[in-house]
């Protein structure tokens, strides 16, 4: 007879996965700016997954859903692709989709699988991801209904099954609900995996020369061109009020404050790149 582990008695440790609708080469330079140790690997032909170490909730006691909502929002406003955060803790599990400056949308289940989100949020999610508004939405609707045989982890797996229709293909070892250290180890074993870690401002600026700018789109100020400096300044100007607005909100503003901080960092990095790499 197998004795129950601590995880069995208390439920899964908090953890998260960040799915980005872009290849790893486009995600890595943006993810560096989050200053969180992560492992990055493919999750389909046009998708990547970031597996965070989880310092904010493991060491600082921050709620995992609030942290990853901030990360997803920050990544999405700094790049031309959406970011889907899957998260779980002892009591809940859920997801948050961030895309551009639009309000993030998500859904939550209790650990037992009982849905506590709004059905309208699931419909908005389906439309933003590009799922079929009839067939796929019918499947997603089942995730918003009571089901005594489906716990929160099963719900997240069901969500991933639907997302396969838009190209999401997570390695089998990266299953929602697993401990963060186990997920990072599994991600590191993937053939195209690479670590993501803040290299410092000087190294980050230097790294721009090695990035495939065509994959990042015009939003990135370090892609060069005559408007690079103006774009960098605009990002810095947009970042400051976002930080202030997020910090003033009693709850739910953490994500926007983080997004503002990342915009400010993007702009500063872009301005430094424009100054050190002038173009005619």
């Amino acid at each position: 007879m197998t004795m129950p582990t601590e995880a069995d008695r208390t439920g899964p440790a908090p953890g998260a996965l960040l799915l980005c609708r872009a290849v790893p080469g486009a995600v890595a330079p943006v993810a560096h700016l989050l200053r969180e140790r992560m492992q990055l690997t493919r999750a389909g032909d046009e998708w990547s997954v970031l597996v965070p170490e989880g310092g904010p909730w493991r060491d600082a006691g921050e709620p995992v859903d609030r942290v990853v909502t901030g990360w997803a929002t920050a990544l999405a406003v700094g790049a031309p692709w959406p970011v889907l955060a899957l998260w779980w803790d002892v009591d809940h599990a859920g997801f948050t989709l961030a895309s551009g400056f639009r309000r993030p949308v998500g859904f939550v289940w209790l650990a037992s699988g009982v849905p506590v989100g709004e059905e309208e949020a699931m419909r908005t999610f389906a439309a933003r991801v590009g799922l079929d508004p009839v067939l796929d939405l019918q499947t997603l609707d089942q995730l918003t209904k009571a089901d005594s045989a489906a716990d929160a982890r099963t719900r997240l797996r069901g969500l991933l099954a639907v997302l396969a229709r838009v190209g999401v293909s997570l390695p089998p070892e990266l299953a929602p609900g697993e401990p963060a250290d186990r997920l990072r180890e599994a991600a590191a074993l993937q053939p195209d995996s690479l670590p993501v870690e803040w290299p410092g401002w000087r190294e980050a600026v230097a790294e721009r020369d090695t990035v495939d700018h065509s994959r990042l789109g015009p939003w990135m100020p370090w892609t060069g061109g005559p408007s690079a400096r103006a774009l960098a300044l605009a990002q810095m100007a947009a970042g400051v009020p976002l930080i202030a607005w997020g910090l003033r909100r009693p709850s739910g503003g953490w994500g926007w404050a983080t997004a503002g901080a990342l915009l400010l960092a993007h702009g500063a990095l872009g301005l430094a790149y424009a100054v050190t790499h002038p173009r005619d």
Side-chain angles (χ1 to χ4, degrees):
M1 180 177 178
T2 302
M3 295 297 294
T5 64
E6 184 66 21
D8 294 329
R9 289 190 292 267
T10 62
L17 297 169
L18 291 164
L19 287 160
C20 305
R21 200 168 196 170
V23 296
V27 174
V30 189
H32 281 161
L33 298 177
L34 293 179
R35 304 194 185 193
E36 165 74 9
R37 293 179 62 187
M38 301 185 180
Q39 199 70 29
L40 172 65
T41 190
R42 282 189 177 273
D45 290 340
E46 297 181 356
W47 289 81
S48 302
V49 59
L50 286 160
V51 184
E53 187 177 68
W57 57 82
R58 187 194 62 218
D59 302 329
E62 294 284 347
V64 61
D65 57 330
R66 192 171 300 177
V67 172
V68 297
T69 294
W71 284 345
T73 303
L75 290 171
V77 299
W81 24 261
V83 180
L84 175 65
L86 308 179
W87 59 268
W88 55 91
D89 59 23
V90 174
D91 301 315
H92 310 83
F95 70 86
T96 300
L97 177 72
S99 52
F101 281 97
R102 289 184 290 187
R103 183 180 179 181
V105 62
F107 201 88
V108 178
W109 297 272
L110 299 181
S112 61
V114 174
V116 292
E118 298 179 1
E119 294 183 18
E120 181 60 34
M122 195 68 85
R123 288 190 284 271
T124 302
F125 164 75
R128 291 185 185 178
V129 174
L131 291 166
D132 186 281
V134 178
L135 298 178
D136 294 336
L137 189 55
Q138 287 178 354
T139 306
L140 287 176
D141 272 344
Q142 296 303 310
L143 299 177
T144 68
K145 309 299 183 184
D147 184 351
S148 59
D151 60 12
R153 186 171 178 172
T154 303
R155 301 287 199 174
L156 288 178
R157 288 178 172 176
L159 178 71
L160 287 171
V162 178
L163 289 173
R165 302 286 292 271
V166 290
V168 174
S169 180
L170 271 178
E173 302 83 0
L174 300 184
E178 293 293 325
D181 55 350
R182 188 179 303 171
L183 289 173
R184 289 189 73 237
E185 289 173 3
L189 294 176
Q190 300 303 311
D192 58 352
S193 179
L194 65 147
V196 174
E197 191 169 0
W198 175 244
W201 284 109
R202 181 176 298 177
E203 292 79 4
V205 172
E207 185 183 5
R208 301 312 105 194
D209 292 325
T210 66
V211 173
D212 183 356
H213 296 156
S214 65
R215 294 185 182 274
L216 294 175
W219 180 251
M220 299 303 182
W222 50 76
T223 56
S227 61
R229 186 175 302 186
L231 179 56
L233 291 171
Q235 288 189 345
M236 293 176 71
V240 172
L242 272 180
I243 294 172
W245 183 70
L247 293 177
R248 284 199 303 267
R249 298 189 67 187
S251 63
W254 196 94
W256 289 112
T258 303
L262 185 54
L263 274 176
L264 194 62
H266 273 202
L269 186 55
L271 187 61
Y273 187 82
V275 171
T276 58
H277 297 71
R279 297 192 177 193
D280 296 333

